[in-house]
Amino acid sequence: MFERAPLELVLCQVKFDPVFALLSPAGVAGFQEGLRSTYPRAGRGDQASVSMRPGAIEATQQAPIFRFSDEGGDWTVTIAVDFVALETPHYTHFDDFAVRLDRILDVLHRTVHPTDSVRVGLRKVNALEHPSVSGPGDWVGLLNPSLLGSLNERTLSNVTQSMLVELAMRDDQEGTMVVRHGVLPDRANAYRIDIDYFTERPARIERGSELSTVVQEYSTSITEFFQWCLQPSLYDFLGPTDRPERSSS
Amino acid sequence: MSPVIAPPPVRSDLDDVERSRPATSVDGETPFVAPPSFTTINPNRAISDEYRREFVKVSRLSEETLMRQVTLRTAMASLEGLSIEEDATLFAVRPERLVRWIRGEDSIPRSSERRLNQIAELLRLMRHAVPEGHTREWFFLSIPALDDRTPFDVLAAGDVDRVVTLARGYGDPSFA
């Protein structure tokens, strides 16, 4: 963990074949009941959207999305006809996230009983800031040169206004890590590292299943990649706290 | 300057959630919301039609049918720690059928309503006496008032009223 944790979002989504009972509140009632004590605030997403194209306006009905949040609004569980997700802008330790996810999968198993997962993804979004940075070129020396690519070239870094790079990597267990990183024009002093690790390998959706292990492993890999991005000076600036080794994002 | 060849885009279904998230979340900065080619929450035509058909089916369910589904799913939420086979025993159905009821693939018949309501009431009553996380333990505890049999065994034998009566006692102020 870091004193100046750059984490903005952690999100885990488990997709499954559609369970059409989840189209109605009656289908979600058990799931909500099972989580009510921890996530008492309930909301529902829009069911319809309007799309416009030249000469046509089209109304499209979409499956409803149900959200349940804790009292503080820090943790949100989302369920729709074909997925469940847990998200938070921050956590003390990933174990807290993992325990919550396990509980959600248990309740989902009992009250919805979906088939095996068709996709599991874990995503962490970080936004790095540093007092010496006012533009993209200032990240040279703070971030891994291999990450920065063209910014290492002085003639380019001096004129670069924004940068967005996407990198996709495949592991040997049918998992894919996609990293989107760069500097946005509307927030030139921040470097965003958005890491999304997912698999379409099926796994049972229940407490303590292989799915939970996969998510733990993805979290570790994401953390390792994030730390690879940091040069020692930036790592120290972030203020690592409770672990002797480089710790999680 | 040499042209830069960008890596091909990779679809990220997690953007489904990003699009559905309220504005208080990270998606305020639109450039980091993946471009439309990444998103998959907009179902294609075939899926959309399928969803629409299911919408119609769900909307035509009677209130009575929906209430039975709600009762079952709410009861299932309380049955922490029990296997689907054990759950099925409580509701006096085969496990495969129970799964179809939970998923809404089969309607719960009126003939199963009494047992369903009895188990739901039992679970409500248990909240007074059985701490969260100990449900399974209670079902498999030998209880003198049940002639040292477990609630699960008595329920499996079909004597639901006896177990419900026992659980009603938990709500009695003299129960400690």
Side-chain angles (χ1 to χ4, degrees), chain A residues 62 67 87 110 113 166 196, chain B residues 7 12 20-21 42 77 103:
Chain A
Q62 293 183 345
R67 291 190 198 87
E87 69 174 296
R110 281 186 279 124
H113 214 86
E166 185 173 304
D196 179 358
Chain B
S12 172
S20 74
R21 210 177 310 126
N42 288 327
R103 290 180 181 161

Side-chain angles (χ1 to χ4, degrees), chain A residues 8-9 11-13 15 18-21 23-24 26-31 33-34 37 47 49 58 60-65 67 78 81-83 85 87 103 106-107 110-115 119 121-123 125 156 164-168 176 178 180-182 184-187 192-194 196-198 200 207, chain B residues 1 4 6-22 25-35 38 40-43 45 47-48 50-56 58 61 66-67 69-84 87 99 101-105 127 132:
Chain A
E8 288 198 334
L9 172 74
L11 170 66
C12 181
Q13 184 196 44
K15 295 194 80 172
V19 178
F20 291 112
L23 288 169
S24 76
V28 183
F31 182 76
E33 180 63 25
S37 59
Q47 291 183 77
S49 66
E58 196 174 78
T60 311
Q61 190 160 28
Q62 293 183 345
I65 292 171
R67 291 190 198 87
T78 309
V81 72
D82 60 353
F83 74 83
E87 69 174 296
R103 164 89 180 150
D106 180 45
V107 174
R110 281 186 279 124
T111 63
V112 179
H113 214 86
T115 55
R119 188 185 188 281
L122 179 69
R123 181 174 176 183
V125 181
L156 280 175
L164 186 58
V165 177
E166 185 173 304
L167 169 69
T176 301
V178 180
R180 289 182 216 121
H181 65 94
L184 305 179
D186 62 345
R187 197 173 161 191
R192 301 286 295 269
I193 302 178
D194 180 346
D196 179 358
Y197 205 159
F198 62 88
E200 293 180 350
R207 170 173 274 173
Chain B
M1 186 188 307
V4 176
V10 174
R11 194 185 75 180
S12 172
D13 287 350
L14 289 178
D15 292 309
D16 292 2
V17 175
E18 188 161 84
R19 295 182 85 229
S20 74
R21 210 177 310 126
S25 287
V26 73
D27 55 359
E29 289 153 298
T30 48
F32 247 83
V33 175
F38 284 29
T40 56
I41 195 169
N42 288 327
R45 192 73 190 162
I47 297 280
S48 183
E50 187 183 6
Y51 279 28
R52 196 169 293 122
R53 280 196 299 273
E54 294 298 333
F55 257 129
V56 171
V58 169
L61 292 173
L66 286 173
M67 278 313 298
Q69 290 186 358
V70 169
T71 303
L72 172 67
R73 294 185 185 119
T74 305
M76 288 300 298
S78 302
L79 288 170
E80 190 174 3
L82 275 74
S83 70
I84 198 73
D87 296 332
V99 168
W101 284 359
I102 294 168
R103 290 180 181 161
E105 294 167 354
R127 286 183 198 152
E132 202 174 312

Side-chain angles (χ1 to χ4, degrees), chain B residues 92-118:
Chain B
V93 289
R94 284 180 293 111
E96 300 79 14
R97 193 166 193 211
L98 178 62
V99 168
R100 289 201 297 275
W101 284 359
I102 294 168
R103 290 180 181 161
E105 294 167 354
D106 279 358
S107 292
I108 304 168
R110 190 168 295 163
S111 58
S112 298
E113 189 167 18
R114 184 165 184 272
R115 177 79 172 220
L116 181 62
N117 287 337
Q118 284 176 313

Side-chain angles (χ1 to χ4, degrees), chain A residues 127-130 133 135-149 151-152 163 181-183 189-193 225-235 238:
Chain A
L128 291 157
E129 293 186 359
H130 191 274
V133 172
D138 296 332
W139 287 105
V140 175
L142 293 171
L143 290 171
N144 193 318
S146 299
L147 184 77
L148 293 174
L151 285 181
N152 292 304
M163 182 180 92
H181 65 94
V183 178
N189 64 332
Y191 199 97
R192 301 286 295 269
I193 302 178
F225 183 88
F226 176 77
Q227 292 179 357
W228 171 86
C229 296
L230 308 177
Q231 292 290 72
S233 60
L234 180 56
Y235 178 82
L238 292 176

Side-chain angles (χ1 to χ4, degrees), chain B residues 57-69:
Chain B
K57 274 192 209 166
V58 169
S59 64
R60 285 179 180 166
L61 292 173
S62 69
E63 195 175 323
E64 205 176 273
T65 303
L66 286 173
M67 278 313 298
R68 284 199 283 268
Q69 290 186 358

